[in-house]
Amino acid sequence: LNDEAPEFQASGPFAVSEAADPSLAPTVGTVVAADRDREDANNKVEYVIAGGNGNNRFAIDRTSGRISLVGALDRETVASYTLSIVAIDSGLPSLTTSVSVTITVTDDNDNAPEFTNTPSHATVVEEGLPAGHDVLVFDFNATDADIGASADLTFAMDVNDPFSSFRVDAVTGEVFATKPLDREVQAAVDLTISVTDGAPPFRATQAVLSVTVADANDNAPEFVAGQRAFTLAEDAGVGTEVTVLQSTDADEGDNTLSRFAIVGGNDGDLFRIAETSGVVQVNNPLDRETAPTVTLTVSVTNVKAGAAGTNLSSTTVLTVTVTDVNDN
C-alpha cells in the first residue's frame, strides 16, 4: 500500500558563481528524498522543479535530483533563487512532498567601478595658496555593482601633473592642491583620475579633472624696453609729444589695468603723462638756461591692489636734454 510520501533528506542551501558557464551544465547541488514504502512500485522517487525557476536558469535530473545550471546568471540582477522542488513517488496514486531550495548566486568581478560624480566644467583654484596646507579641489565618488573585494575601490592619479602640484587620496577620492600655484607658470592642467576595484581581474575607470588656476595680482606691471633719452629744442610748444611709454603685466584681466604717473624730477611741471595711454608731452614752456636737462622718474602702477594689499608698480627714468635757441 502506497501510504508513505517521500521525505527530503538533503535540500541545500546551495551556491553557484555568476561566472559559471551554463553551456557546461555545471552541478549546483543535489536534493535527496526517500520513501519508506517497502515495495519498489511505491518507493521510487522522481524530482521536478515546480516554481521559482525564473527564466529557466536551472534544471533538475528527474531520477538523481541533481540540479544543474542551464541559463546565464547575473548576481547584480538576481542575487538568489528559491526553487520549489517536488519529490514524487511511484505509487498509484502517487504521493508528493515539496521543499524550498535556496540557491545563492556568488559574485564574480564582472563590473568596473563607476564615478557617481564628475566635474562638468573646469574647477578653479586660486593661485598663491598658502604653503604647507592642502586645499581641496574636487571630491570624487565612485561605486561598484559587485560586492566584497570586488567593490573595494582605490583612487589614483596618472602622472600628468608636471609640477607635482596635486594629489588624490587613495581611499576618499579627494583631490588636493599640495603647494602654492603660479598661474603664470601653470595656468591649467588636466588630471586623469582612475578608480580601480580590488579583485582579479582588476577593473578600472578613468575621469578627467580640468583645473584652471585663477589669477591673483602677484606681478607688477613692467615698462616695455625702448628709448629713454630725448632731445627737445627749448622752443618746443606745450603739447609737444616726447614719447609714448608702454607696459606689460604677466597677470590677466583686471589685474593688468595700470596707470602712468611722473613721480619725480618734474620741477616746474615741465612735462605731463597721460595716465592711461602713456603719452609724455611738454606741459609748460622750456628754458635751456634754467633747466638744460630734466630727469623724470615715471611709474606704472596697478589699479587693483595686489594680494598683500598694496598696488604693485615699476619705475623707469627719462632724460630730456633741452637744446638752445637764440632767445636771449
Side-chain angles (χ1 to χ4, degrees):
L1 175 67
N2 185 22
D3 58 352
E4 298 287 344
E7 296 179 356
F8 279 96
Q9 298 173 335
S11 58
F14 306 117
V16 60
S17 170
E18 66 176 328
D21 185 354
S23 68
L24 302 177
T27 298
V28 175
T30 299
V31 295
V32 177
D35 192 307
R36 290 187 294 177
D37 287 314
R38 294 184 178 183
E39 296 181 5
D40 290 345
N42 296 324
N43 63 18
K44 296 185 184 304
V45 177
E46 291 187 345
Y47 306 90
V48 295
I49 299 174
N53 192 18
N55 295 315
N56 296 318
R57 303 294 185 192
F58 304 94
I60 191 167
D61 185 282
R62 291 184 66 90
T63 303
S64 68
R66 170 182 172 269
I67 302 171
S68 59
L69 177 70
V70 294
L73 299 175
D74 181 11
R75 188 204 64 81
E76 290 72 39
T77 303
V78 181
S80 67
Y81 293 82
T82 301
L83 303 182
S84 175
I85 295 181
V86 178
I88 308 169
D89 67 19
S90 53
L92 290 175
S94 60
L95 300 176
T96 63
T97 301
S98 63
V99 69
S100 293
V101 176
T102 299
I103 300 174
T104 299
V105 182
T106 60
D107 190 51
D108 179 66
N109 190 13
D110 58 346
N111 291 278
E114 295 183 356
F115 286 101
T116 57
N117 65 327
T118 52
S120 59
H121 53 80
T123 300
V124 178
V125 180
E126 297 290 334
E127 72 170 325
L129 297 171
H133 299 278
D134 288 357
V135 176
L136 180 64
V137 177
F138 193 81
D139 185 4
F140 280 100
N141 296 310
T143 60
D144 194 307
D146 297 311
I147 59 175
S150 298
D152 291 339
L153 305 182
T154 301
F155 296 89
M157 185 172 69
D158 287 1
V159 186
N160 55 350
D161 175 17
F163 298 97
S164 300
S165 302
F166 301 90
R167 72 174 180 87
V168 63
D169 188 291
V171 176
T172 66
E174 295 172 307
V175 179
F176 296 94
T178 59
K179 62 176 63 173
L181 305 175
D182 187 350
R183 188 200 64 83
E184 289 72 44
V185 175
Q186 185 181 27
V189 62
D190 287 338
L191 304 175
T192 301
I193 307 299
S194 63
V195 58
T196 305
D197 60 26
F202 299 101
R203 301 180 184 274
T205 302
Q206 291 184 332
V208 174
L209 175 63
S210 295
V211 179
T212 298
V213 181
D215 188 49
N217 190 11
D218 57 351
N219 292 276
E222 296 182 356
F223 284 96
V224 175
Q227 182 180 353
R228 294 293 185 263
F230 307 92
T231 300
L232 285 178
E234 64 178 328
D235 62 353
V238 172
T240 299
E241 183 177 300
V242 180
T243 187
V244 179
L245 296 177
Q246 294 178 309
S247 67
T248 61
D249 194 312
D251 295 314
E252 65 177 1
D254 289 347
N255 293 331
T256 66
L257 298 176
S258 57
R259 296 290 184 265
F260 296 95
I262 298 174
V263 295
N266 195 21
D267 295 340
D269 289 332
L270 297 179
F271 298 92
R272 64 180 181 240
I273 188 169
E275 67 173 11
T276 57
S277 67
V279 176
V280 179
Q281 296 173 304
V282 176
N283 188 54
N284 280 309
L286 305 177
D287 184 0
R288 188 196 66 81
E289 288 73 29
T290 303
T293 301
V294 179
T295 301
L296 302 174
T297 301
V298 181
S299 69
V300 59
T301 305
N302 280 152
V303 173
K304 186 177 179 181
T310 58
N311 296 77
L312 303 175
S313 65
S314 299
T315 60
T316 191
V317 173
L318 305 182
T319 301
V320 181
T321 300
V322 181
T323 60
D324 186 45
V325 296
N326 188 13
D327 58 347
N328 291 290

